[in-house]
């Protein structure tokens, strides 16, 4: 059985926890926890699911998440193949809101930090020079002990609190409506779609996998994911297509069918809907 969606990462000896992750693939379980999380990808590619957002990721992907925001960095299928030489590498830092005491954030000087922590509940993605700075700080924090680590983290958070280049990840008003008891059901749905998005996906098959009727499953998924199941599938397919377009190895028609669309016209229409550009425009721009 898959690990529970509510992840326990408590440390008995540290208020701030930093892990360097080197594995054949990132944790494949969609999960959430009561900690703030700062994470950067140093090596690896795949799809990033945070709240109601679906994006591709690669080296340099740097994100700050608030408590109880469901998330998953799902490595590409090649990382799960037997004998694959591929590896993933990332650094993650965890802390809780009261890591410096329950009244610390109530101080007048903490206004900027309070706003940053509130914003992180939608997830914030950093790019460019700031992303590079965060990565350097996280690498440094893997070897810093004690109070020096706390000071370094506070300095980094202060920098983020006074920066306005971060991009929100989840939509405005997003709230995690999942319960720990629903873990296995939603994990099955996510895994099935991520493994079969390039094929025809029948709603009846997925609803059966979740143990629900089609109508009940559609209501259930929309209420908890803030999007329809069809939108969820199409966003994963479009994210895959974006990656292939940037690799510039295949024709647009080949990419359309490899991403699970049954026709080029259907692919073009959905690409424009979700990305705001045609596939050809996207390829030319990036």
């Amino acid at each position: 059985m898959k690990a529970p969606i509510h992840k326990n990462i408590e440390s008995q000896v540290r208020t701030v926890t930093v892990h360097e992750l080197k594995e054949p693939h990132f944790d494949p379980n969609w999960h959430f926890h009561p900690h703030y999380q700062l994470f950067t990808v140093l090596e690896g590619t795949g799809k990033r699911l945070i709240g109601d957002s679906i994006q591709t990721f690669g080296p340099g992907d740097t994100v700050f998440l608030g408590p109880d925001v469901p998330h998953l960095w799902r490595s590409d299928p090649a990382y799960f193949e037997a004998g694959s030489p591929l590896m993933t590498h990332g650094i993650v830092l965890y802390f809780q809101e009261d890591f410096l005491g329950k009244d610390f954030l109530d101080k007048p000087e903490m206004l900027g930090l309070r706003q940053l922590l509130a914003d992180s509940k939608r997830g914030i993605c950093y790019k460019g020079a700031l992303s590079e700075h965060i990565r350097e700080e996280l690498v440094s924090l893997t070897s810093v002990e004690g109070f020096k680590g706390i000071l370094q983290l506070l300095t980094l958070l202060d920098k983020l609190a006074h920066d306005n280049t971060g991009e929100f990840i989840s939509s405005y008003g997003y709230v995690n409506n999942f319960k720990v008891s629903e873990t296995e059901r939603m994990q099955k749905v996510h895994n099935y779609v991520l493994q079969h998005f390039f094929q025809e996906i029948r709603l009846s098959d997925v609803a059966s996998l979740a143990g629900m009727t089609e109508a009940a499953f559609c209501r259930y998924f929309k209420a908890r994911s803030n999007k329809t199941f069809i939108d969820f599938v199409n966003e994963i397919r479009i994210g895959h297509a974006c990656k292939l377009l940037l690799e510039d190895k295949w024709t647009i028609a080949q990419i359309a069918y490899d991403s699970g669309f049954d026709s080029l016209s259907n692919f073009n229409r959905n690409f424009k809907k979700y990305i705001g550009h045609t596939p050809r425009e996207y390829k030319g721009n990036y």
Side-chain angles (χ1 to χ4, degrees):
M1 182 179 293
K2 297 290 184 182
I5 198 169
H6 185 272
K7 198 171 184 179
N8 183 6
I9 53 177
E10 291 288 352
S11 171
Q12 300 302 315
V13 296
R14 298 189 180 189
T15 54
V16 176
T17 305
V18 184
H19 293 305
E20 186 170 8
L21 311 173
K22 288 185 177 180
E23 300 290 346
H25 53 75
F26 288 126
D27 182 356
N29 295 297
W30 199 61
H31 59 272
F32 61 90
H33 45 69
H35 299 71
Y36 291 89
Q37 170 178 326
L38 192 56
F39 178 62
T40 188
V41 176
L42 301 177
E43 185 178 354
T45 60
K47 293 174 178 60
R48 167 173 35 93
L49 285 71
I50 294 177
D52 58 1
S53 167
I54 303 169
Q55 300 287 334
T56 57
F57 75 84
D61 190 49
T62 304
V63 165
F64 183 38
L65 298 180
D68 295 326
V69 179
H71 54 274
L72 163 67
W73 275 259
R74 173 82 182 196
S75 301
D76 283 330
Y79 288 82
F80 294 90
E81 294 176 359
S84 171
L86 297 173
M87 290 290 291
T88 60
H89 185 190
I91 299 178
V92 60
L93 179 149
Y94 301 107
F95 67 91
Q96 289 189 284
E97 188 166 313
D98 61 352
F99 78 108
L100 288 176
K102 296 187 179 300
D103 299 326
F104 179 74
L105 289 175
D106 294 335
K107 309 299 182 186
E109 295 84 356
M110 296 301 108
L111 178 61
L113 180 55
R114 285 201 302 272
Q115 186 60 54
L116 172 68
L117 298 183
D119 290 343
S120 72
K121 294 176 181 178
R122 287 177 60 188
I124 307 172
C125 178
Y126 297 101
K127 299 179 180 178
L130 182 56
S131 174
E132 294 176 9
H133 176 75
I134 295 171
R135 291 200 300 275
E136 291 171 358
E137 291 296 301
L138 288 177
V139 169
S140 173
L141 281 164
T142 60
S143 58
V144 175
E145 297 286 343
F147 187 59
K148 289 183 179 179
I150 299 293
L151 286 178
Q152 191 168 333
L153 172 59
L154 287 175
T155 300
L156 176 58
L157 291 176
D158 182 66
K159 185 176 183 65
L160 299 184
H162 291 88
D163 176 84
N164 59 2
T165 62
E167 300 176 2
F168 286 117
I169 298 174
S170 296
S171 58
Y172 180 78
Y174 172 78
V175 176
N176 175 17
N177 291 315
F178 289 97
K179 301 175 182 178
V180 177
S181 59
E182 296 170 339
T183 299
E184 188 176 357
R185 173 183 289 166
M186 290 306 298
Q187 188 70 50
K188 285 181 178 179
V189 172
H190 280 96
N191 285 344
Y192 183 84
V193 174
L194 288 166
Q195 293 169 9
H196 298 90
F197 68 86
F198 50 87
Q199 305 169 338
E200 179 185 3
I201 293 181
R202 295 185 177 90
L203 179 61
S204 58
D205 292 341
V206 182
S208 177
L209 189 67
M212 308 172 79
T213 66
E214 292 183 26
F217 173 74
C218 287
R219 291 192 298 269
Y220 171 85
F221 194 92
K222 178 69 180 293
R224 286 156 180 78
S225 299
N226 202 31
K227 66 180 67 182
T228 67
F229 178 70
I230 297 301
D231 281 336
F232 173 71
V233 174
N234 281 337
E235 286 183 15
I236 288 179
R237 287 172 169 166
I238 293 298
H240 179 72
C242 287
K243 179 184 175 183
L244 296 184
L245 284 166
L246 296 181
E247 291 178 359
D248 199 24
K249 297 179 181 178
W250 298 274
T251 67
I252 290 177
Q254 288 173 320
I255 291 172
Y257 291 110
D258 187 75
S259 301
F261 291 95
D262 56 5
S263 70
L264 184 57
S265 60
N266 187 26
F267 171 62
N268 286 330
R269 182 172 60 255
N270 278 283
F271 198 96
K272 183 70 178 289
K273 173 184 175 182
Y274 293 102
I275 303 299
H277 301 282
T278 67
R280 196 171 301 279
E281 289 171 342
Y282 178 86
K283 187 175 182 180
N285 290 339
Y286 293 96

